Amino acid sequence: MTTSVARPGQMKPPQTRRRGVSAALFFVLFTCTLRCSGCEKPSNIVLILADDQDVYLGGMTPMKKTQALIGDAGATFSNAFTATPLCCPSRSSILTGRYPHNHAVRNNSLDGNCSSPLWQKGQEATAFPVYLSKQQYQTFYAGKYLNQYGKKETGGVGYVPPGWDQWHALVGNSQYYNYTLSVNGKEEKHGDSYQKDYLTDLILNRSLHFLDSRSPQRPFFIMLSPPAPHSPWIAAPQYEKTFPDVKAPRDGSFDKPGKDKHWLLRQPSNPMTSTSLDFLDNAYRKRWQTLLSVDDMVETLVKKLEALNVLNNTYIIYTSDNGYHTGQFSLPIDKRQLYEFDIRIPLMVRGPGIKPKQTLPAPVLNIDLAPTLLDISGLNLSVVNMDGQSFLSQMAPELRNGTARPYFLVEYTGEGHLGPDPACPKLGPGLSQCFPDCVCEDAYNNTYACVRTLVEPNLQYCEFADTESFVEVYNLTSDPHQLENIVKKVDPTLLQAMNQRLIKLQSCEGDSCQCTLHRNCGHYI
């Protein structure tokens, strides 16, 4: 057989030419793959965290733009919960992805570890912004942070938590006017001019400036935490007269006696006085008014992202730190209780891979936010020690595989004063958040832990750390408003199973908290 050998200048045989072309093409593709495997820029992320916004009692009703631009454009979680219904421990859970029994922030006080030096040296050093920064994200924060942040005892305004490139944080608790900011570690005082000082608008405007000045070559993370709808409920001037006829909803558990509940729920006068009713109706209306500026914030931010041509590669998450109540079980206004109105929160997400107009029933907790953000950033979650689990797989199954948890923990450590509260001296020491009608919203022994399951049976089982070892159990299928404590009617075997499940969750850490149907986290009912 004669082998054809091409002489210089002579064309090679067709099969030889094809092999040469294929080899050259493979080399080009391989080189391109090497160069480009890491060059696809990770998605940008925007997290908007409202303060005390309920979802159970209509808290999302005034926010038409937000529901259209985030919820309708992506996924709405119908079963989103906070791990604890109070600002500082909840926000600490959001930052760390951990249950309160692991991050050790108990309440809003410095003694309760809120933004304390111990927190700063420990849990804050491994919060999600630190990891995002390592992932080359440009990070921006504006608004309320933690209730004790910026106080002298916690490092003052000069202290900027790790992981943040741009820092515009409120000193102390929510305000709309007459507040102090830490701007990248420098004190900035504000007055009562709407144009210059209204906090919701200010943090929006600074985020827009950040978007204009950032580097286009790197992804960004923006976290905005407006004061609304937290007290003192000061609406923007253009919204001060909106919703004139709106009142707190009168259905469900509104102004019902706290029969068979923890002693704190048995204290309020029932029915409520007319002055209390007027007060809470006014509060409810003003809360809605303050949220209209947040609704405008979402609209302006989405338009800005669209104008910069980055909207399609940006995840936008809207949520709140806890729920709220206005008159439920004759409690005037607050959070801190174990019931659905206080522990359910809004959660909506739009972004790459998320199909529009989804309503997702899988239970999601605020401890899941941090691992979800890091999952979006491309970080290997095995390198972080978090109790939560990413819910990216729930929103975009084609991007991730995952399973939903069948049950979860809600826990709270009560606050109280050493002496009697001036508004309610007859009840003695150990209480706080008392109103003039001697209705106290919190106490030292308002300390509880609950296990909640949404699959059949749809139950909530709660134990109090008090001298009574009080237990509350609710079947939310037959009693969605939690009017009847059925602890004395439930099969003791079920109570024992729920108790054991609660014990496991109260001591869980990391992976052991991520109970799914495929993990050994105790007997699944």
Side-chain angles (χ1 to χ4, degrees):
M1 180 176 180
T2 304
T3 303
S4 174
V5 178
R7 298 183 180 91
Q10 183 180 5
M11 184 177 289
K12 295 180 181 179
Q15 66 271 23
T16 306
R17 293 202 308 272
R18 284 196 295 271
R19 284 196 298 268
V21 171
S22 298
L25 181 61
F26 174 79
F27 178 78
V28 170
L29 292 173
F30 179 72
T31 304
C32 183
T33 300
L34 287 177
R35 289 177 180 173
C36 301
S37 60
C39 70
E40 183 179 348
K41 191 171 69 173
S43 296
N44 310 302
I45 310 170
V46 176
L47 173 60
I48 301 171
L49 177 65
D51 195 358
D52 283 3
Q53 185 176 10
D54 71 277
V55 68
Y56 189 85
L57 300 174
M60 284 301 301
T61 303
M63 304 193 69
K64 307 300 184 187
K65 301 171 185 176
T66 301
Q67 293 184 74
L69 293 170
I70 303 180
D72 291 347
T76 299
F77 286 87
S78 58
N79 289 303
F81 295 84
T82 179
T84 189
L86 188 63
C87 301
C88 198
S90 174
R91 289 164 181 262
S92 301
S93 286
I94 291 170
L95 288 165
T96 63
R98 312 193 82 188
Y99 277 120
H101 69 262
N102 286 326
H103 63 57
V105 178
R106 297 180 295 279
N107 50 50
N108 287 343
S109 68
L110 186 59
D111 290 341
N113 203 30
C114 179
S115 198
S116 70
L118 179 64
W119 153 266
Q120 294 170 2
K121 294 176 183 177
Q123 297 294 320
E124 195 171 51
T126 57
F128 76 76
V130 175
Y131 292 102
L132 287 180
S133 181
K134 291 178 180 178
Q135 292 287 93
Q136 301 303 308
Y137 272 74
Q138 301 164 89
T139 56
F140 174 91
Y141 191 95
K144 175 178 172 178
Y145 184 58
L146 301 174
N147 296 57
Q148 298 298 324
Y149 171 76
K151 305 293 180 67
K152 181 180 178 181
E153 300 86 348
T154 62
V157 296
Y159 173 73
V160 177
W164 298 106
D165 297 320
Q166 290 291 318
W167 181 251
H168 303 258
L170 179 68
V171 173
N173 207 357
S174 281
Q175 296 290 332
Y176 298 81
Y177 295 109
N178 300 307
Y179 54 83
T180 299
L181 292 180
S182 169
V183 178
N184 299 321
K186 294 184 179 180
E187 182 179 80
E188 184 179 281
K189 289 188 174 294
H190 285 265
D192 56 4
S193 166
Y194 172 69
Q195 298 297 332
K196 295 189 299 183
D197 302 314
Y198 193 70
L199 185 56
T200 303
D201 293 353
L202 181 142
I203 65 176
L204 167 64
N205 292 333
R206 296 202 176 178
S207 71
L208 300 179
H209 177 72
F210 167 77
L211 285 170
D212 285 331
S213 60
R214 71 193 162 84
S215 168
Q217 280 71 45
R218 293 167 54 201
F220 61 81
F221 172 76
I222 293 174
M223 185 168 178
L224 302 181
S225 186
H230 196 286
S231 61
W233 312 308
I234 301 176
Q238 64 270 31
Y239 296 131
E240 288 177 344
K241 296 183 180 179
T242 55
F243 311 119
D245 300 321
V246 166
K247 293 184 178 181
R250 263 42 176 189
D251 56 356
S253 57
F254 182 84
D255 204 13
K256 294 288 194 300
K259 183 182 178 183
D260 297 326
K261 289 177 167 52
H262 185 238
W263 74 271
L264 192 64
L265 273 290
R266 302 196 297 266
Q267 294 300 315
S269 300
N270 179 268
M272 301 178 75
T273 65
S274 59
T275 54
S276 290
L277 291 172
D278 290 343
F279 174 79
L280 66 89
D281 281 337
N282 188 51
Y284 190 90
R285 182 172 58 256
K286 287 185 173 182
R287 282 166 56 81
W288 275 21
Q289 292 171 352
T290 65
L291 285 168
L292 292 176
S293 292
V294 183
D295 208 31
D296 291 342
M297 167 195 287
V298 171
E299 179 186 41
T300 303
L301 196 55
V302 169
K303 287 182 177 179
K304 181 68 170 181
L305 295 170
E306 191 171 27
L308 293 172
N309 199 30
V310 295
L311 180 60
N312 291 336
N313 192 37
T314 301
Y315 287 89
I316 305 176
I317 304 171
Y318 186 92
T319 190
S320 174
D321 49 7
N322 47 256
Y324 207 71
H325 58 255
T326 48
Q328 283 59 50
F329 298 119
S330 301
L331 296 171
I333 52 161
D334 199 49
K335 48 268 185 177
R336 308 168 201 258
Q337 306 304 329
L338 56 89
Y339 308 105
E340 297 283 278
F341 41 76
D342 283 358
I343 65 174
R344 282 185 177 268
I345 55 176
L347 178 60
M348 298 178 294
V349 189
R350 68 173 288 172
I354 303 177
K355 294 179 181 179
K357 296 187 177 180
Q358 294 186 76
T359 300
L360 303 178
V364 170
L365 298 180
N366 61 350
I367 61 171
D368 299 331
L369 283 166
T372 302
L373 300 175
L374 298 182
D375 194 9
I376 291 171
S377 79
L379 184 73
N380 182 352
L381 296 181
S382 65
V383 305
V384 299
N385 183 25
M386 293 183 173
D387 305 333
Q389 58 196 57
S390 171
F391 54 81
L392 184 57
S393 62
Q394 306 295 333
M395 302 182 292
E398 68 277 12
L399 298 181
R400 295 285 188 278
N401 294 320
T403 56
R405 56 167 64 83
Y407 54 87
F408 54 89
L409 175 70
V410 176
E411 54 188 346
Y412 177 68
T413 301
E415 285 185 82
H417 301 298
L418 294 176
D421 192 296
C424 196
K426 69 180 183 181
L427 289 181
L431 295 105
S432 66
Q433 310 300 315
C434 296
F435 289 84
D437 291 329
C438 199
V439 180
C440 296
E441 297 272 7
D442 207 1
Y444 280 133
N445 66 0
N446 183 41
T447 297
Y448 57 80
C450 305
V451 60
R452 179 81 168 84
T453 177
L454 293 172
V455 294
E456 292 298 330
N458 184 7
L459 287 179
Q460 184 182 35
Y461 173 93
C462 302
E463 295 181 2
F464 282 83
D466 58 13
T467 56
E468 294 180 276
S469 297
F470 200 79
V471 176
E472 294 187 29
V473 182
Y474 299 98
N475 183 330
L476 285 106
T477 300
S478 60
D479 180 23
H481 302 297
Q482 298 164 288
L483 300 176
E484 182 185 10
N485 180 5
I486 59 172
V487 63
K488 296 179 181 179
K489 298 180 180 180
V490 178
D491 184 341
T493 304
L494 177 58
L495 291 180
Q496 184 178 9
M498 297 294 277
N499 168 263
Q500 292 302 307
R501 186 177 294 171
L502 182 60
I503 291 172
K504 287 180 180 292
L505 283 173
Q506 283 185 281
S507 60
C508 75
E509 183 177 6
D511 288 347
S512 65
C513 297
Q514 299 170 16
C515 299
T516 70
L517 293 176
H518 307 292
R519 295 189 181 183
N520 183 19
C521 303
H523 178 61
Y524 173 68
I525 296 174

